[in-house]
Amino acid sequence: IFLCLLLIPFSFSSFKAMKDVPTAMINVYQMQFQLSQFVNKYYEKNTIALNDIGAVNYYCDIKCVDLWGLANKEVADYRRKLMYDSEKVFEINKRSNTSIAIIFEAWFDKYGGIPSNWLMAGKWTIPNNITCGADSVTFYATDSINYLKLTNSLKMFSKELPLQVKQKGY
């Protein structure tokens, strides 16, 4: 009886996890995998700023500027010392010669947002998100030259996106 009582919470959490697996897999395909395909197609060997580095780094040959600090000690140090803000984000990416940033915007609200001179080129939104960092990911260019390439690349890639992924932008 004692063993059965111990298994009850485990059974509920296991059932919920198994129920969520298909939706989570679809989320990863709709956002993370599509991001990696986009970056691989248009930005191979470029310097890209990301705050969710997993799939893009796994599938693509890029130089990654990790804006969340898991793979960037400088960012991690600034965050730990409570010195991370949009100015630091700008400085780090300027030094790295970053061409674009692909980020979950809300993650940067408490740091003062994204650098004001970055140009928003587009946004992808997925439905029923339960596993990605946010429902939407936003694409920024670090200057006007990169903005033109990024907006054109997003337009060209839009026909390859799954139908459920909604793209907005200029």
Side-chain angles (χ1 to χ4, degrees):
I1 291 173
F2 181 71
L3 185 58
C4 288
L5 290 174
L6 288 176
L7 291 177
I8 289 172
F10 177 73
S11 299
F12 285 122
S13 63
S14 296
F15 175 75
K16 182 178 177 352
M18 293 305 290
K19 181 179 79 58
D20 288 346
V21 165
T23 304
M25 289 173 27
I26 291 168
N27 290 161
V28 170
Y29 173 75
Q30 290 173 334
M31 186 172 289
Q32 304 305 326
F33 184 73
Q34 298 307 317
L35 285 173
S36 70
Q37 296 303 293
F38 174 80
V39 169
N40 197 45
K41 188 169 190 172
Y42 299 105
Y43 289 94
E44 187 176 40
K45 304 215 184 285
N46 281 261
T47 303
I48 310 291
L50 301 160
N51 64 322
D52 189 350
I53 64 174
V56 174
N57 272 297
Y58 182 79
Y59 288 110
C60 303
D61 183 13
I62 61 164
K63 180 175 184 244
C64 176
V65 177
D66 176 16
L67 298 178
W68 204 242
L70 295 175
N72 185 312
K73 186 177 181 328
E74 182 180 18
V75 171
D77 287 344
Y78 284 134
R79 285 186 64 214
R80 189 177 63 252
K81 295 174 184 175
L82 304 176
M83 297 172 55
Y84 195 54
D85 58 19
S86 61
E87 189 174 308
K88 294 283 191 243
V89 171
F90 175 78
E91 290 171 12
I92 291 165
N93 285 282
K94 181 89 170 149
R95 277 195 313 270
S96 300
N97 199 26
T98 301
S99 54
I100 67 168
I102 306 172
I103 62 170
F104 300 126
E105 279 183 297
W107 288 22
F108 293 88
D109 289 347
K110 68 180 180 180
Y111 302 111
I114 52 95
S116 59
N117 59 332
W118 284 6
L119 305 169
M120 198 274 272
K123 183 179 285 199
W124 291 350
T125 302
I126 62 170
N128 308 317
N129 179 36
I130 62 168
T131 196
C132 294
D135 295 346
S136 297
V137 65
T138 308
F139 295 79
Y140 286 94
T142 56
D143 58 39
S144 57
I145 294 168
N146 286 308
Y147 177 79
L148 292 173
K149 179 184 177 189
L150 181 55
T151 54
N152 287 330
S153 300
L154 285 167
K155 284 178 192 173
M156 289 187 290
F157 193 77
S158 65
K159 59 185 168 272
E160 297 179 38
L161 283 173
L163 294 175
Q164 302 84 359
V165 179
K166 301 301 177 211
Q167 179 170 289
K168 294 179 183 175
Y170 300 104

